[in-house]
Amino acid sequence: DTAVSQTPKYLVTQMGNDKSIKCEQNLGHDTMYWYKQDSKKFLKIMFSYNNKELIINETVPNRFSPKSPDKAHLNLHINSLELGDSAVYFCASAGGGGNQPQHFGDGTRLSIL
Amino acid sequence: DAKTTQPTSMDCAEGRAANLPCNHSTISGNEYVYWYRQIHSQGPQYIIHGLKNNETNEMASLIITEDRKSSTLILPHATLRDTAVYYCIVRVAGDYKLSFGAGTTVTVRA
């Protein structure tokens, strides 16, 4: 029973397509995150939701739209995919406000052809 | 806007203690020191965090200097499975954000 699970694990698609990545956590946490890890291996936060409300949006292009249907899910939809979107996307969750450690999923490897 | 400085890489021998240094000379009074690691092809994994006092859990120990300007993560008996990138992160109390730097690539050798 994985704590933070992402689907799909791998996603290969063509430039210009629209795709979604799903994330679910079974830890009962209130806060969920999306991070991007590029080819240089730097991890950067993209979005954070707390109780289904957006609290962090780190100047991400508006082609990226997170959606949180409930506290346990935070999905990431990407429109008009570009070559530069190729990366590993990690979902994370945390409880108890900003002081609690974040728990990460194993990532979705997105490759744009 | 890195708030921490870590060595790029280090090797350690299996079964020995691994001591990972981190400098955070501009740390504020309300900032915690967090350590995460990322094993190849996995998501980051929380290890330990502290404010002023030394901390220990089942994975590691965290030693924070009295002036809080540096810290050391200690893996008491390194195994091959501890090979990973280790991130030292300074985080304001109540801040939802984690800012990852380049980390230290630790290679445990048999």
Side-chain angles (χ1 to χ4, degrees), chain A residues 33 37 98-99 102 105 109, chain B residues 34 36 38 41 91 94-96:
Chain A
Y33 304 81
Q37 188 168 40
N99 285 337
Q102 294 179 18
R109 284 144 187 84
Chain B
Y34 279 76
Y36 282 75
Q38 188 174 20
S41 295
R91 184 187 188 192
D95 188 357
Y96 287 94

Side-chain angles (χ1 to χ4, degrees), chain B residues 14-15 78-84 107-110:
Chain B
E14 188 180 22
T79 71
L80 298 179
R81 288 177 297 178
D82 291 322
T83 292
T107 303
V108 180
R109 302 194 185 279

Side-chain angles (χ1 to χ4, degrees), chain A residues 27-96:
Chain A
L27 297 168
H29 290 163
D30 291 333
T31 310
M32 295 186 71
Y33 304 81
W34 277 109
Y35 287 81
K36 178 180 179 181
Q37 188 168 40
D38 60 22
S39 57
K40 295 182 180 177
K41 303 298 183 184
F42 285 104
L43 262 164
K44 291 186 179 177
I45 190 166
M46 300 172 69
F47 300 104
S48 178
Y49 272 71
N50 185 55
N51 285 318
K52 302 198 302 174
E53 289 197 18
L54 181 67
I55 55 171
I56 296 175
N57 182 343
E58 286 288 303
T59 322
V60 178
N62 57 15
R63 296 184 296 105
F64 290 79
S65 51
K67 284 188 171 45
S68 182
D70 54 59
K71 288 197 311 183
H73 296 84
L74 181 62
N75 303 323
L76 184 65
H77 188 77
I78 315 170
N79 289 329
S80 304
L81 280 157
E82 299 177 357
L83 290 175
D85 297 332
S86 294
V88 183
Y89 292 84
F90 289 99
C91 177
S93 72

Side-chain angles (χ1 to χ4, degrees), chain B residues 63-104:
Chain B
I63 308 298
I64 302 174
T65 57
E66 196 167 336
D67 64 7
R68 302 213 316 125
K69 292 185 177 182
S70 65
S71 60
T72 302
L73 179 75
I74 301 173
L75 307 177
H77 304 286
T79 71
L80 298 179
R81 288 177 297 178
D82 291 322
T83 292
V85 179
Y86 287 76
Y87 299 98
C88 171
I89 300 167
V90 164
R91 184 187 188 192
V92 174
D95 188 357
Y96 287 94
K97 203 159 85 168
L98 273 180
S99 297
F100 288 83
T104 297

